[in-house]
Amino acid sequence: MAKRSSPSDKPVRRKENFLVFGAPCLGEEEISEVVDSMKKRWIGTGPKVGMFEEEFRLLKGRKHAIAVNSCTAALHLAILALGIRPGDEVITTPMTFCATVNAIIHAGGVPVLADCKKDTMNIDPEEIEKKISARTKALLIVHFAGRPCEMDAIMELAHSYDLHVIEDCAHAIETEYHGRQAGCFGTIGCFSFYVTKNITTGEGGMVITDDDRVAERIKMLALHGMSKDAWRRFSDTGYRHYEVIHAGFKYNMTDMQAAIGLHQLKKLEQFRKRREEIWKFYNEAFKDLPVFLPPDPEPDTVHAYHLYTPLIDVDRLGKSRDWVLDAMTRENIGVGVHYLPIHYHPYYRKALNVKPGDFPAAEWIGDRTISLPLSGCLTDEEVEDVVRAFRKVLGA
Ligand SMILES: *Cc1c(COP(=O)(O)O)cnc(C)c1O
């Protein structure tokens, strides 16, 4: 094998030019819109949130879009709005961010994990069916890295067992499956505008649904459990008392956040095209390395290309994934891990009574996966630096 880099070798990038993983793409438009909110002195929940919700609703073609302050909040409210009761089971994947599982727990439900597939990293419908019990109430699926789950099989299961489906679309704003958009299959779709996501509002999330009652309930729960449109109480139409009808939460989005989101939304396709270009460039550039490359998108789907996640062939390389993470960092390239599987974390091992060995596909991924920078505003030079660093680290 070719000579490996030694730590004394000059890194691909200089330290002061460390390439931050998942840096957001923000332009003058976003900055001016935030300043406009500040100058108008309406920085809380106001007209811009309403506009952002309407734009998002039109984009997705669903009846309701409700902005909240994170996808975690969106997921929590989604599960609550479906009337999950203590002891009710919600099936989800071990290959996700902890927030997906925490939302089920906070809503009083019991998360039940069903393994994913090694190649797509998405939840396996056959594994779902094995986990369905008399107490199962909902499926909470994650379109991993922006690749759609097998929605035909999943919706068929949901219909035959009478289960709700919630879609965690944190990676998947642009995702489509067989001509239909992610977030429009289940009862509720939840989106994230966290800093590293496809578009950002700093922190932020969105819930979409066609169900009027679910939408009403989510709006009420997102703002202290107050009766509807409580924020209007400070407007010029005369004082109106609010009524609290539930012990709700403080999950509302602000106009400062929506100001950023309004302009990010306009750049959605531009960013996605750039990420697609980079994703394909990486897949071409790493063909000969000891890695398993992410498979091409399935026919009749749109991949949102949120993450680029090659799997290190640790046997061929003779080094661990964590060694690769360190080596990439030494080259001044920011990397991520999406994810260590849920059942590796001490809390869930105890709370869900799960252990290493239970979900072989998630473990296979979790031990090998690395996320390389894939942001809509990476320059060609930055992308080439990532390629050079990864090739160098993997001994090419
Ligand atoms: C980021 C993420 C979340 C949480 O989103 P926040 O907006 O940060 O709360 C949930 N699920 C998945 C799969 C994510 O990647």
Side-chain angles (χ1 to χ4, degrees), residues 69-75 95-100 142-144 168-171 191-197 203-205 306-307 338-339:
N69 60 14
S70 70
C71 182
T72 307
L75 291 164
M95 188 39 63
T96 188
F97 186 53
C98 59
T100 315
V142 180
H143 302 292
F144 188 91
D168 180 339
C169 303
H171 302 176
F191 296 82
S192 175
F193 311 120
Y194 179 65
V195 186
T196 58
K197 299 294 156 72
E203 295 279 2
H306 172 57
L307 297 170
H338 301 85
Y339 298 96

Side-chain angles (χ1 to χ4, degrees), residues 152-360:
D152 283 347
I154 289 169
M155 294 316 290
E156 207 176 297
L157 282 175
H159 289 138
S160 43
Y161 292 94
D162 194 22
L163 306 172
H164 279 290
V165 173
I166 301 170
E167 297 172 71
D168 180 339
C169 303
H171 302 176
I173 302 183
E174 308 93 333
T175 300
E176 292 182 21
Y177 175 88
H178 299 179
R180 204 156 148 201
Q181 295 198 62
C184 297
F185 288 86
T187 313
I188 304 173
C190 299
F191 296 82
S192 175
F193 311 120
Y194 179 65
V195 186
T196 58
K197 299 294 156 72
N198 294 353
I199 60 169
T200 187
T201 60
E203 295 279 2
M206 190 76 76
V207 184
I208 61 172
T209 183
D210 286 334
D211 187 314
D212 297 340
R213 281 185 52 205
V214 164
E216 270 317 308
R217 212 172 146 71
I218 287 173
K219 276 188 214 167
M220 179 268 291
L221 288 171
L223 200 61
H224 306 294
M226 287 175 178
S227 54
K228 74 178 186 183
D229 292 339
W231 65 268
R232 286 184 202 279
R233 71 190 186 276
F234 299 116
S235 73
D236 54 9
T237 54
Y239 193 88
R240 286 196 312 190
H241 290 287
Y242 60 85
E243 291 180 322
V244 176
I245 53 180
H246 208 281
F249 303 89
K250 187 70 200 303
Y251 282 168
N252 55 304
M253 180 181 274
T254 69
D255 266 27
M256 302 274 278
Q257 293 166 304
I260 305 171
L262 280 167
H263 292 279
Q264 290 274 295
L265 213 47
K266 293 188 184 131
K267 304 173 189 173
L268 190 65
E269 192 48 27
Q270 171 202 327
F271 291 160
R272 195 199 72 87
K273 281 211 179 96
R274 177 62 177 155
R275 291 194 311 271
E276 176 172 22
E277 198 172 70
I278 299 167
W279 195 98
K280 290 182 170 164
F281 186 76
Y282 284 159
N283 246 12
E284 210 36 58
F286 303 145
K287 264 185 173 165
D288 58 327
L289 298 185
V291 293
F292 304 99
L293 298 173
D296 287 340
E298 292 71 26
D300 198 15
T301 67
V302 175
H303 196 310
Y305 302 105
H306 172 57
L307 297 170
Y308 181 76
T309 56
L311 302 171
I312 309 295
D313 187 341
V314 291
D315 301 319
R316 242 174 90 200
L317 183 66
K319 303 267 190 193
S320 72
R321 184 271 320 278
D322 288 3
W323 180 89
V324 177
L325 294 174
D326 286 340
M328 286 299 284
T329 309
R330 274 201 301 275
E331 299 299 329
N332 293 314
I333 304 288
V335 288
V337 173
H338 301 85
Y339 298 96
L340 291 188
I342 288 296
H343 64 296
Y344 277 17
H345 296 283
Y347 175 78
Y348 306 108
R349 280 203 216 181
K350 214 167 150 198
L352 311 184
N353 192 24
V354 287
K355 59 187 182 314
D358 287 353
F359 306 98

Side-chain angles (χ1 to χ4, degrees), residues 24-144:
C25 309
L26 299 169
E28 284 306 317
E29 304 84 353
E30 284 85 346
I31 294 167
S32 319
E33 198 68 49
V34 172
V35 171
D36 174 73
S37 290
M38 296 178 89
K39 285 190 173 155
K40 287 180 176 144
R41 294 194 300 149
W42 199 310
I43 59 175
T45 303
K48 284 181 190 173
V49 171
M51 283 161 63
F52 186 46
E53 288 174 331
E54 183 58 11
E55 294 281 324
F56 201 85
R57 194 185 69 76
L58 291 172
L59 175 78
K60 283 288 167 186
R62 275 211 130 169
K63 207 166 162 195
H64 304 278
I66 303 141
V68 288
N69 60 14
S70 70
C71 182
T72 307
L75 291 164
H76 183 199
L77 297 181
I79 299 161
L80 283 174
L82 296 181
I84 300 290
R85 300 232 186 86
D88 286 350
E89 293 175 354
V90 179
I91 296 176
T92 193
T93 170
M95 188 39 63
T96 188
F97 186 53
C98 59
T100 315
V101 181
N102 290 348
I104 300 170
I105 296 170
H106 289 315
V110 178
V112 174
L113 303 177
D115 207 0
C116 59
K117 288 192 170 173
K118 265 178 162 182
D119 53 351
T120 64
M121 308 189 183
N122 275 324
I123 196 165
D124 182 344
E126 283 180 20
E127 294 299 317
I128 294 179
E129 189 157 25
K130 288 185 201 160
K131 296 299 178 84
I132 294 173
S133 81
R135 298 201 300 191
T136 309
K137 288 287 148 52
L139 310 177
L140 173 44
I141 57 115
V142 180
H143 302 292
F144 188 91

